[in-house]
Amino acid sequence: MRAVDLIIKKRDGGTLSAEELRFLMRGYVDGSVPDYQMSAWAMAVLWRGMDDRETADLTLAMAESGELLDLHAIAPLTVDKHSTGGVGDKTSLVLGPLCASLGLPVAKMSGRGLGFSGGTLDKLEAIPGMRIDLRPDEFAHLLRTVGLVIAGQGTELAPADKLLYALRDVTGTVPSLPLIAASIMSKKLAAGADCLVLDVKVGAGAFMKSLPEARALARQMVGIGQHAGRKVAAVITSMQQPLGYAIGNALEVKEAIATLQGNGPSDLVELCLALGAQLALLAGKASTTEDGYKLLTAVLNSGAAWRKFREFVAAQGGDLSTVDDPRLLPEATVVEPVAAPHDGFIGAIDADLLGLAVNALGGGRQRKDDRIDPSVGIVLVHKVGEFVAQGTPLATIHASHMDMFIQVHDRVQGAFHLQHSAPASLPLIYEVVEQASNVP
Ligand code: URA
């Protein structure tokens, strides 16, 4: 087999077989297929597309390019979630304990955030002492004993994706639906969970800007899961404004703690229950989504999920006194308000702009080895639809010094779009995409 023939086949609108895709992915990882050939192939895919079978086979070829975790010896059934990326998205910190306290083991391998405020691992590391670099035996032990473990990827999962994603980034081939779906799902399949819920964000602050795009991505990923014998559902949710009020690592941990203690913002609570209900359904804990919703509400209200979070933090070395009294979590020295420039209703909050502002404050990284300041961030005072009077606070900025506050002030103020009339209310959850066999 020759890579050039496969590029030509795709260029001319053909469909590659599983064997041909394995040849390309293996060859890319072992160096026998060079970057220039992979670039040409990726561009051909971007223009020609892939059918569902081909996309699923590509995903499996990418997953099989590295280690495939098999967690069944530790837990017969595990659940996981993936979000396509949102600002203020601390869902995993709440959903993990919710599911685990319902008896659904959560084994989560996370990446670190790049570009926006931190990822799940960065948020967890805002808790002093918290260890997320776990050895495989520690990972297995915590999954068995606590039923909830969140860690960085020890071994490299789906190395073909890592190489290909970096190549797509510099060759204009990121916005290809089959390549995005295969990229996300290859890592999730390799991480071994039996049941997976995907939170596909849509809106100005998300990767997918429109509902039809988000729906197409969701359908493709759910289909890949089905082809691979996993149970997968996708929930399409709004990223027209940040989730909850807090953006920034320690600030988001505080909001997650408040949520687990029953005092969470309504959008965050609703999203966690909706994602959890899908997992409960997929895992056979609930017979309907409504059932799942009730079961999760019960573990939230009883305090069981909060106790599970404490157990998880302690098991991974985190200082429990800081989660019991979140004022002990890292706090910024400068906490100053950003005022509304005039009266008005908030019509939209640009989540992208706020995410970038938190990044500029030091709450995220621009390069892989940048250090994160866990204390900095932004806390919204108001959300979309609310009225603000001129001079009253829209948000507070948590910064390491006054210069940083001044540097991001205008960007934060500009993220709030004020208008004369109240905007139409926004849905948080647009729709759920299920596998064919799950549709009654
Ligand atoms: N996230 C991924 O992991 N891969 C993509 O291609 C896009 C978003």
Side-chain angles (χ1 to χ4, degrees), residues 306-350:
W306 162 238
R307 288 192 292 278
K308 183 56 77 178
F309 180 77
R310 288 183 84 256
E311 188 187 347
F312 152 72
V313 167
Q316 291 194 208
D319 180 352
L320 269 187
S321 68
T322 63
V323 299
D324 287 339
D325 181 0
R327 288 170 305 181
L328 300 177
L329 286 168
E331 293 210 331
T333 40
V334 174
V335 181
E336 290 288 336
V338 176
H342 54 81
D343 287 2
F345 288 93
I346 301 175
I349 303 176
D350 191 326

Side-chain angles (χ1 to χ4, degrees), residues 22-106:
R22 272 196 299 272
F23 171 83
L24 278 182
M25 292 304 121
R26 270 201 214 121
Y28 194 38
V29 172
D30 71 24
S32 56
V33 175
D35 277 347
Y36 52 82
Q37 287 191 308
M38 280 315 284
S39 311
W41 170 81
M43 189 57 86
V45 172
L46 183 127
W47 281 106
R48 289 295 192 173
M50 278 184 157
D51 68 20
D52 289 347
R53 195 276 307 151
E54 195 181 12
T55 309
D57 283 338
L58 171 65
T59 312
L60 291 174
M62 283 162 71
E64 287 161 6
S65 68
E67 194 181 345
L68 290 174
L69 296 188
D70 185 352
L71 304 168
H72 292 118
I74 312 162
L77 181 147
T78 54
V79 304
D80 192 4
K81 78 120 288 256
H82 177 81
S83 157
T84 58
V87 176
D89 189 356
K90 65 284 291 175
T91 313
S92 294
L93 303 187
V94 180
L95 184 61
L98 276 174
C99 290
S101 59
L102 200 62
L104 299 174
V106 181

Side-chain angles (χ1 to χ4, degrees), residues 82 84 161 165 168 174 176 179-184 187 207:
H82 177 81
T84 58
D161 171 63
Y165 197 17
R168 286 166 55 213
V174 168
S176 151
L179 293 182
I180 295 171
S183 167
I184 293 172
K187 287 170 282 206
F207 206 59

Side-chain angles (χ1 to χ4, degrees), residues 247-249 251 332 334 357-358 361 363 373-379 396-399:
I247 313 164
N249 299 295
L251 294 168
V334 174
V358 172
L361 287 167
D373 182 344
S375 69
V376 300
I378 295 167
V379 179
T396 50
I397 294 176
H398 295 233

Side-chain angles (χ1 to χ4, degrees), residues 166-215:
L167 186 76
R168 286 166 55 213
D169 209 21
V170 292
T171 54
T173 49
V174 168
S176 151
L177 216 59
L179 293 182
I180 295 171
S183 167
I184 293 172
M185 289 300 289
S186 63
K187 287 170 282 206
K188 286 287 146 188
L189 295 184
D194 302 285
C195 304
L196 174 66
V197 67
L198 300 160
D199 179 3
V200 179
K201 304 279 191 198
V202 59
F207 206 59
M208 296 288 126
K209 304 291 178 206
S210 73
L211 190 55
E213 274 180 303
R215 191 180 287 136

